Amino acid sequence: MSLLSVTDLRGGYVAADEIVKGAALHVEDGEIVSLIGPNGAGKSTLLKLIAGLLRPSGGHIHLGDRDIAGLGAPEISGLGLSFVPQERNVFGTMTIAENLEMGSFTDGRHARQRMAELYERFPMLAEKRRAAARTLSGGQRQILAMAIALMNAPKLLLLDEPTAGLSPRAAEELFGTIVALNKTGVAILMVEQNALEALAVSARACVLVQGRVEREGRAAELASDPTVRDLFLGGKAQPMLAGTT
Ligand SMILES: Nc1ncnc2c1ncn2[C@@H]1O[C@H](COP(=O)(O)OP(=O)(O)OP(=O)(O)O)[C@@H](O)[C@H]1O
Ligand SMILES: [Mg+2]
């Protein structure tokens, strides 16, 4: 059984206008899967549907053996799936410690123990625990956003463009952090504009075009596939890939 299995998923922001038009994908235990595709393909919308921030108009989303389609975000997160949105993913005026507390459902001992584990894994957060989140660099902020999502010890983490706006060097470091996190057993489904870099750290990938998964396969194969390369090198994603080919 797959950790996450999405079939014929449909939905969008208003009932009459489907953005995701029958998408299918799966994530196995412990995998990194990249979701790539042109601007406006519906990648963020697909993540929001899976995470329960948008209500699907059709299809199935199985987390293990449980169909989570239609459940709300807090409930889904309680079942082991956490989502890190691209924007507004930390509270800038609050401290790092307060941000982490916001990520936890439970007060008290459990949350404190989890925070201690996360401080151990990300010493930068421990050092800056009393600083306001807005004082972090872009890369540090993304680590905090992931750590908030990790407060509930998810089995699967959804990341929407974690490296957006980062320098190439900070992006590379963050990919390293994501790989290290994955090695602790957390499966990852990530949307990335830095498609080739994302494919390089992924086991598999899906290409979303106009709300449908047009291609799916081993990341290494997709990275060398001429039609996939055309899609990114010829499309709007080109500036993002400059210097990577
Ligand atoms: N909050 C919203 N309300 C209504 N429509 C939206 C909203 N957010 C996105 N859309 C529309 O949904 C479609 C898909 O957008 P989405 O953000 O899912 O694409 P994406 O693949 O993540 O693109 P990008 O690579 O630019 O992030 C677009 O036509 C967009 O205009
Ligand atoms: Mg998006």
Side-chain angles (χ1 to χ4, degrees):
M1 194 196 313
S2 297
L3 177 58
L4 177 75
S5 169
V6 173
T7 46
D8 196 28
L9 187 64
R10 300 171 175 275
Y13 299 88
V14 285
D17 185 20
E18 278 184 353
I19 306 289
V20 174
K21 301 167 180 156
L25 62 83
H26 62 103
V27 178
E28 303 305 319
D29 271 315
E31 260 189 335
I32 301 183
V33 177
S34 281
L35 181 62
I36 59 175
N39 293 115
K43 303 180 297 295
S44 297
T45 307
L46 177 52
L47 291 192
K48 288 182 219 165
L49 286 164
I50 296 171
L53 295 170
L54 291 172
R55 201 181 172 83
S57 51
H60 298 281
I61 308 166
H62 279 91
L63 186 65
D65 57 5
R66 176 113 190 232
D67 195 343
I68 60 168
L71 298 185
E75 202 172 346
I76 290 174
S77 150
L79 292 169
L81 187 160
S82 293
F83 172 52
V84 182
Q86 183 182 342
E87 279 159 357
R88 292 190 290 276
N89 52 20
V90 305
F91 297 92
T93 56
M94 290 167 59
T95 66
I96 276 75
E98 287 164 344
N99 268 275
L100 290 175
E101 281 161 19
M102 294 292 289
S104 179
F105 299 138
T106 55
D107 276 334
R109 198 163 58 83
H110 257 91
R112 281 196 301 275
Q113 186 182 332
R114 188 69 187 148
M115 273 171 83
E117 286 165 20
L118 290 168
Y119 283 146
E120 203 170 314
R121 185 176 307 160
F122 305 112
M124 175 278 296
L125 295 180
E127 270 164 43
K128 295 179 183 271
R129 69 223 283 170
R130 293 189 213 296
R134 69 176 132 70
T135 64
L136 298 178
S137 72
Q140 291 172 336
R141 180 182 287 231
Q142 288 302 326
I143 288 171
L144 174 59
M146 283 198 283
I148 294 169
L150 290 170
M151 279 295 286
N152 293 305
K155 290 173 282 194
L156 175 62
L157 199 56
L158 308 187
L159 305 175
D160 195 353
E161 301 203 25
T163 71
L166 299 188
S167 68
R169 181 160 166 193
E172 194 182 320
E173 266 180 42
L174 192 69
F175 279 126
T177 304
I178 291 169
V179 169
L181 178 62
N182 171 251
K183 289 205 169 110
T184 70
V186 183
I188 290 162
L189 173 62
M190 67 174 167
V191 168
E192 258 301 334
Q193 291 287 356
N194 289 318
L196 294 181
E197 291 87 338
L199 290 175
V201 300
S202 299
R204 284 186 308 105
C206 302
V207 183
L208 193 75
V209 181
Q210 292 183 7
R212 291 189 186 86
V213 175
E214 295 273 322
R215 295 290 308 277
E216 188 272 330
R218 310 294 312 166
E221 279 161 35
L222 287 179
S224 57
D225 182 300
T227 50
V228 172
R229 292 185 78 95
D230 276 355
L231 189 64
F232 292 100
L233 302 174
K236 283 183 190 164
Q238 188 169 14
M240 304 286 184
L241 293 174
T244 65
T245 54

Coordinates of all heavy atoms in Angstrom, one line a residue, residues 12-18 57:
G12 N -10.8 23.0 -7.3 CA -10.2 24.4 -7.6 C -10.7 25.3 -6.5 O -11.0 24.9 -5.4
Y13 N -10.8 26.6 -6.9 CA -11.2 27.6 -5.9 C -12.7 27.9 -5.9 O -13.2 28.3 -4.9 CB -10.3 28.8 -6.1 CG -8.9 28.5 -6.0 CD1 -8.1 28.1 -7.0 CD2 -8.3 28.6 -4.7 CE1 -6.8 27.8 -6.9 CE2 -6.9 28.3 -4.5 CZ -6.2 27.9 -5.6 OH -4.9 27.5 -5.4
V14 N -13.3 27.8 -7.1 CA -14.7 27.9 -7.1 C -15.3 26.7 -7.9 O -14.6 26.1 -8.7 CB -15.1 29.2 -7.9 CG1 -14.9 30.4 -7.0 CG2 -14.4 29.4 -9.2
A15 N -16.5 26.3 -7.5 CA -17.1 25.0 -7.9 C -17.1 24.9 -9.5 O -16.8 23.9 -10.0 CB -18.5 24.9 -7.4
A16 N -17.3 26.0 -10.1 CA -17.5 26.0 -11.6 C -16.2 25.9 -12.3 O -16.2 25.5 -13.5 CB -18.3 27.2 -12.0
D17 N -15.1 26.1 -11.6 CA -13.8 26.2 -12.3 C -12.8 25.3 -11.7 O -12.1 25.6 -10.8 CB -13.3 27.7 -12.2 CG -12.1 27.9 -13.1 OD1 -11.8 27.1 -14.0 OD2 -11.3 28.9 -12.8
E18 N -12.7 24.1 -12.3 CA -11.7 23.1 -11.9 C -10.3 23.5 -12.4 O -10.2 23.7 -13.6 CB -12.1 21.7 -12.4 CG -13.1 21.0 -11.5 CD -13.5 19.6 -11.9 OE1 -13.0 19.2 -12.9 OE2 -14.2 19.0 -11.2
S57 N -13.6 18.4 -5.5 CA -14.9 18.2 -6.0 C -15.1 16.8 -6.5 O -16.2 16.3 -6.8 CB -15.2 19.2 -7.2 OG -14.2 19.2 -8.1

